[in-house]
Amino acid sequence: MIIQIDQISVNYIDEGEGDVVLLLHGWGSNITLFQGIIDTLSPRHRVIALDMPGFGKTPEPPEPWCVDDYVDFVMKFLNSLHIKEFSVLVHSFGGRVLFKMNAREKLPYVIHKAVLIDSAGIMPKKTWKQKASLRLYKMASRFMSTKPLHFLYPDAVEDMRKKRGSADYNNATPTMRATLVKVVNEDLEPLIAKISCPTLLVWGDMDTATPIADAKVMEGLIKDTGLVVCEGAGHYSFLEQPAKVHGALQAFLG
């Protein structure tokens, strides 16, 4: 399905009947990865999932966005479908959107339940080696960007960036690279405790992108929560251990 939001053609899925469950995907992902979850939940729920701008079949935003821009967009999407109450399931970057949306004053929605799968939101602590490496990179980048050196070695800065950048960063367009920088440099830990609805945490204990330690922190911050650990699974635990995850979702969401 396609719907126009702020002149952006949004690709989305709307399947099933009953209480609404909103799905928010992770960075570099899209709604196709949620198909197993959609098939599991749609017999008893109305499941809605959208490709957020810059992912899947939805065009990227007109300029670099921050998390709040994505929150504004998701809220406009919900308003266009006249959704006023729902449960929400998020993966990775989708958790950032949830934390910031839930923290909005006078939120015009009722969020009944939340499922956080390998969610982002906790800013990792940098070691002194990482801090020193970053300083050296910035100094070298500025040095190689001077006119004489840039003329002699025009690709030097880009080569250094590629060596330091993550796969998500290197594979993104300039607009989405700038968006990623805005997104990951925001620490949302102070907002996590504002989640007041019953919450299920689902985590792969081998997740290196959002480690299981993050789940433990969230478990301590959210009052009404439980944690399901997928032993041996990584950042996409819902794809690696679908039977376990789907069973937990059915039990939690009803």
Side-chain angles (χ1 to χ4, degrees), residues 16-130:
E17 296 181 356
D19 295 337
V20 173
V21 179
L22 174 68
L23 310 184
L24 298 178
H25 62 73
W27 187 273
S29 184
N30 58 71
I31 57 178
T32 60
L33 298 188
F34 280 143
Q35 193 58 56
I37 291 176
I38 294 169
D39 292 342
T40 297
L41 297 180
S42 57
R44 286 188 167 185
H45 303 272
R46 180 185 175 189
V47 184
I48 300 173
L50 73 153
D51 281 336
M52 289 187 278
F55 305 101
K57 296 181 180 178
T58 300
E60 63 185 41
E63 59 187 13
W65 276 9
C66 63
V67 180
D68 277 305
D69 293 318
Y70 278 98
V71 172
D72 291 339
F73 193 86
V74 170
M75 290 177 67
K76 290 176 183 179
F77 172 79
L78 290 168
N79 291 341
S80 69
L81 296 181
H82 308 291
I83 304 298
K84 294 299 180 184
E85 53 185 282
F86 56 92
S87 294
V88 60
L89 181 153
V90 302
H91 174 243
S92 192
F93 166 65
R96 295 181 184 273
V97 178
L98 170 61
F99 295 142
K100 296 226 73 173
M101 180 168 65
N102 180 75
R104 292 279 180 95
E105 292 187 7
K106 298 180 180 179
L107 189 70
Y109 315 109
V110 176
I111 301 177
H112 292 297
K113 294 182 179 181
V115 179
L116 310 179
I117 302 179
D118 301 293
S119 176
I122 305 287
M123 184 173 287
K125 303 293 188 294
K126 287 186 173 65
T127 65
W128 69 269
K129 287 185 178 181
Q130 289 172 321

Side-chain angles (χ1 to χ4, degrees), residues 103-172:
R104 292 279 180 95
E105 292 187 7
K106 298 180 180 179
L107 189 70
Y109 315 109
V110 176
I111 301 177
H112 292 297
K113 294 182 179 181
V115 179
L116 310 179
I117 302 179
D118 301 293
S119 176
I122 305 287
M123 184 173 287
K125 303 293 188 294
K126 287 186 173 65
T127 65
W128 69 269
K129 287 185 178 181
Q130 289 172 321
K131 292 178 181 178
S133 175
L134 179 60
R135 283 196 292 268
L136 286 172
Y137 165 74
K138 289 181 176 179
M139 290 172 60
S141 179
R142 286 195 293 268
F143 181 65
M144 297 304 296
S145 296
T146 58
K147 286 185 178 180
L149 288 175
H150 180 69
F151 178 78
L152 292 171
Y153 308 102
D155 299 325
V157 174
E158 180 67 10
D159 290 341
M160 287 191 296
R161 183 197 60 73
K162 287 181 178 179
K163 289 179 180 179
R164 285 189 56 86
S166 66
D168 284 337
Y169 185 85
N170 288 332
N171 293 333

